[in-house]
Amino acid sequence: MAHPVASLDGRGKQPVYLLDFSVYKPPEELRLIRDDAEAKARQWPAYRGLPVEKVDEIKRFMFKVVQQSGLSQTGTYLPAGINPMITTAPKHDVEACMEEAEMVLSSSSCTA
Protein backbone atom coordinates (compact mmCIF):
# COMPACT_ATOMS: atom_id res chain seq x y z
CA MET A 1 0.00 0.00 0.00
CA ALA A 2 1.33 3.46 -0.88
CA HIS A 3 0.76 6.57 1.21
CA PRO A 4 1.28 10.08 -0.17
CA VAL A 5 3.60 12.25 1.92
CA ALA A 6 4.70 15.87 1.60
CA SER A 7 7.17 16.78 -1.11
CA LEU A 8 10.72 17.07 0.22
CA ASP A 9 11.74 19.96 -2.02
CA GLY A 10 8.84 22.18 -0.91
CA ARG A 11 7.53 22.71 -4.43
CA GLY A 12 4.91 20.01 -4.20
CA LYS A 13 4.62 19.49 -7.96
CA GLN A 14 4.44 15.70 -7.76
CA PRO A 15 3.36 13.59 -4.81
CA VAL A 16 5.95 11.45 -3.08
CA TYR A 17 4.81 8.03 -1.90
CA LEU A 18 5.99 6.07 1.10
CA LEU A 19 5.78 2.37 0.34
CA ASP A 20 5.24 -0.40 2.87
CA PHE A 21 8.29 -2.50 3.57
CA SER A 22 9.21 -5.53 5.62
CA VAL A 23 12.13 -6.09 7.94
CA TYR A 24 14.16 -9.28 7.93
CA LYS A 25 13.81 -11.30 11.13
CA PRO A 26 16.83 -13.63 11.51
CA PRO A 27 16.44 -17.16 12.84
CA GLU A 28 16.57 -17.57 16.61
CA GLU A 29 19.93 -19.40 16.52
CA LEU A 30 21.57 -16.12 15.41
CA ARG A 31 20.36 -14.29 18.53
CA LEU A 32 23.17 -12.75 20.52
CA ILE A 33 23.24 -12.62 24.30
CA ARG A 34 25.72 -9.82 24.80
CA ASP A 35 27.49 -10.96 27.99
CA ASP A 36 27.85 -14.56 26.79
CA ALA A 37 29.03 -13.41 23.37
CA GLU A 38 31.61 -11.10 24.91
CA ALA A 39 33.04 -13.93 27.00
CA LYS A 40 33.25 -16.25 23.97
CA ALA A 41 34.68 -13.55 21.67
CA ARG A 42 37.52 -12.93 24.11
CA GLN A 43 38.71 -16.46 23.26
CA TRP A 44 38.86 -15.80 19.48
CA PRO A 45 42.34 -16.18 18.01
CA ALA A 46 41.62 -13.38 15.51
CA TYR A 47 44.59 -11.23 16.42
CA ARG A 48 47.46 -13.71 16.42
CA GLY A 49 50.83 -12.07 16.09
CA LEU A 50 49.79 -8.79 17.74
CA PRO A 51 51.08 -7.86 21.18
CA VAL A 52 48.72 -8.85 23.98
CA GLU A 53 48.30 -5.22 25.04
CA LYS A 54 47.16 -4.25 21.53
CA VAL A 55 44.69 -7.14 21.34
CA ASP A 56 43.23 -6.22 24.72
CA GLU A 57 42.93 -2.59 23.63
CA ILE A 58 41.09 -3.59 20.44
CA LYS A 59 38.71 -5.91 22.27
CA ARG A 60 37.99 -3.33 24.98
CA PHE A 61 37.15 -0.81 22.27
CA MET A 62 34.87 -3.25 20.40
CA PHE A 63 32.98 -4.21 23.55
CA LYS A 64 32.65 -0.56 24.57
CA VAL A 65 31.11 0.26 21.19
CA VAL A 66 28.64 -2.62 21.53
CA GLN A 67 27.70 -1.67 25.10
CA GLN A 68 27.11 1.98 24.21
CA SER A 69 25.34 1.31 20.91
CA GLY A 70 21.90 1.04 22.45
CA LEU A 71 21.41 -2.50 21.21
CA SER A 72 19.35 -4.83 23.34
CA GLN A 73 21.11 -7.16 25.75
CA THR A 74 19.33 -10.17 24.20
CA GLY A 75 17.50 -8.86 21.12
CA THR A 76 20.44 -8.41 18.77
CA TYR A 77 21.35 -10.80 15.97
CA LEU A 78 24.65 -11.37 14.16
CA PRO A 79 25.41 -13.43 11.06
CA ALA A 80 26.81 -16.89 11.75
CA GLY A 81 30.23 -15.93 10.38
CA ILE A 82 30.83 -13.33 13.08
CA ASN A 83 28.56 -14.56 15.86
CA PRO A 84 30.67 -15.67 18.85
CA MET A 85 27.84 -17.94 20.00
CA ILE A 86 28.23 -20.01 16.79
CA THR A 87 31.80 -19.73 15.53
CA THR A 88 35.16 -20.02 17.28
CA ALA A 89 36.75 -17.36 15.05
CA PRO A 90 35.32 -14.71 12.74
CA LYS A 91 34.92 -15.80 9.13
CA HIS A 92 35.69 -13.13 6.54
CA ASP A 93 35.63 -15.35 3.46
CA VAL A 94 33.37 -15.16 0.44
CA GLU A 95 31.49 -18.32 1.44
CA ALA A 96 30.41 -16.80 4.78
CA CYS A 97 29.30 -13.62 3.04
CA MET A 98 27.36 -15.57 0.42
CA GLU A 99 25.68 -17.67 3.10
CA GLU A 100 24.51 -14.52 4.89
CA ALA A 101 23.31 -12.86 1.67
CA GLU A 102 21.41 -15.98 0.55
CA MET A 103 19.75 -16.31 3.95
CA VAL A 104 18.51 -12.72 3.86
CA LEU A 105 17.54 -12.62 0.19
CA SER A 106 15.80 -15.99 0.13
CA SER A 107 13.72 -15.14 3.20
CA SER A 108 12.35 -11.91 1.75
CA SER A 109 8.88 -12.30 0.36
CA CYS A 110 6.13 -10.09 -0.93
CA THR A 111 2.89 -10.07 1.03
CA ALA A 112 -0.24 -8.62 -0.42
Side-chain angles (χ1 to χ4, degrees), residues 54-72:
K54 185 67 172 172
V55 172
D56 288 341
E57 178 185 341
I58 292 169
K59 289 181 180 179
R60 274 195 309 274
F61 173 74
M62 288 190 314
F63 296 130
K64 182 178 177 181
V65 168
V66 170
Q67 288 173 345
Q68 295 180 355
S69 67
L71 297 174
S72 169

Side-chain angles (χ1 to χ4, degrees), residues 6-19:
S7 176
L8 298 176
D9 64 3
R11 290 182 258 165
K13 290 182 181 182
Q14 293 184 343
V16 176
Y17 291 91
L18 175 65
L19 302 177

Side-chain angles (χ1 to χ4, degrees), residues 77-95:
Y77 298 82
L78 282 178
I82 60 170
N83 191 327
M85 304 304 290
I86 296 172
T87 186
T88 57
K91 297 176 185 169
H92 303 107
D93 57 6
V94 173
E95 289 81 18

